Amino acid sequence: MRKEDITENLNRVRERIVTACAESGRDPQSVTLLAVSKTRPAGDLRVACAAGQRDFGENYLQEALEKQAQLSDLPIVWHFIGPLQSNKTRAVAEHFDWMHSVDRLKIAQRLSAQRPAGLAPLNICLQVNIDAEQSKSGAPPAEVAALAQAVAALPNLRLRGLMAIPAPRPDPALQCQPFERMAALLQDLREQLPEQPLDTLSMGMSADMAAAIAGGATIVRIGTDIFGARQ
Ligand SMILES: *Cc1c(COP(=O)(O)O)cnc(C)c1O
């Protein structure tokens, strides 16, 4: 994509975040824009980074590692947001700052055991299957509290909050409902685990960003609206 287009798109998304925050009485600083760069060439990330973007989300491990090697001169905060097989946890533990898609204890145990001693704890969000969709990633809402208890006890992780990808709702009036349920789930966790830094709701994509912000998102994950439609 053209450099000017990425920069302009990024500015437009930033403005939409400011507007959505104003509409729900929130401080725009309380929402972090995560640029979802799966399938995009490293050059597109470099352009976004030059325009002030720091946080990037990747779904595919091998692709992400290649881009990280090409962009190692940049101050990027790397987030892994895709499904992960348990035999691939080591590279995430070694090369990322955040992992948003933990939905079972085995993954968390391996990430903790494999996190290098010299690095800060890996920031973790538990992925919730908030619309109870068949064959979708994420822990069932009823199992989140037990999973959070167990993850919070692991030494090299920092449990930060919850992540979800709700079922698509083309009608914006219906988009808020899953986000409100996510906010309530996080509030329950805060009460159950008062000593944890549970400050994160990772939710909202290009099609439902404003509703997610209204529902309390602190990280919005935006791909298409920054980098254009994926092939
Ligand atoms: C691809 C992806 C996004 C970004 O989606 P867009 O609709 O392109 O903004 C966000 N979160 C996850 C987990 C994704 O896989």
Side-chain angles (χ1 to χ4, degrees):
M1 201 178 188
R2 285 169 63 231
K3 183 177 170 183
E4 296 74 20
D5 292 335
I6 293 173
T7 304
E8 191 181 312
N9 286 348
L10 202 45
N11 285 331
R12 223 179 267 134
V13 170
R14 288 172 178 149
E15 283 166 18
R16 282 166 52 209
I17 291 173
V18 169
T19 302
C21 284
E23 281 168 359
S24 44
R26 296 187 55 195
D27 177 356
Q29 303 284 352
S30 68
V31 178
T32 296
L33 173 56
L34 177 58
V36 175
S37 44
K38 60 175 176 235
T39 77
R40 317 294 178 172
D44 284 8
L45 285 76
R46 191 172 284 281
V47 168
C49 195
Q53 180 62 32
R54 286 292 166 272
D55 291 85
F56 289 86
E58 290 281 342
N59 294 57
Y60 310 112
L61 193 52
Q62 198 50 45
E63 179 196 328
L65 296 175
E66 285 166 22
K67 281 183 247 181
Q68 288 177 344
Q70 294 171 59
L71 301 172
S72 60
D73 56 315
L74 299 179
I76 290 177
V77 179
W78 291 101
H79 299 242
F80 193 82
I81 63 173
L84 188 67
Q85 294 169 308
S86 61
N87 63 347
K88 302 265 179 71
T89 49
R90 182 176 297 279
V92 172
E94 291 179 350
H95 296 283
F96 285 81
D97 302 293
W98 284 75
M99 164 64 170
H100 292 233
S101 45
V102 170
D103 62 0
R104 52 199 195 278
L105 183 58
K106 184 181 178 189
I107 296 282
Q109 287 169 329
R110 292 177 62 93
L111 289 169
S112 180
Q114 293 167 343
R115 184 69 168 169
L119 296 184
L122 181 62
N123 293 294
I124 299 289
C125 292
L126 304 180
Q127 184 173 354
V128 183
N129 186 358
I130 193 65
D131 284 320
E133 294 174 276
Q134 289 284 328
S135 72
K136 278 286 174 74
S137 304
E143 291 172 21
V144 168
L147 180 58
Q149 291 268 1
V151 171
L154 295 170
N156 301 320
L157 307 181
R158 238 175 147 230
L159 180 60
R160 298 293 296 271
L162 302 175
M163 179 274 225
I165 309 171
R169 291 169 173 78
D171 180 356
L174 302 178
Q175 287 177 347
C176 289
Q177 198 230 358
F179 298 133
E180 284 164 7
R181 280 185 277 128
M182 287 289 290
L185 269 180
L186 185 68
Q187 189 52 39
D188 291 346
L189 286 190
R190 285 195 178 126
E191 285 158 23
Q192 287 156 16
L193 297 164
E195 69 294 346
Q196 294 298 311
L198 291 164
D199 56 6
T200 302
L201 278 173
S202 167
M203 57 192 198
M205 308 185 0
S206 293
D208 57 10
M209 185 184 78
I213 290 173
T218 65
I219 297 180
V220 290
R221 307 181 310 267
I222 308 299
T224 305
D225 283 356
I226 297 173
F227 298 111
R230 287 179 292 276
Q231 298 298 312

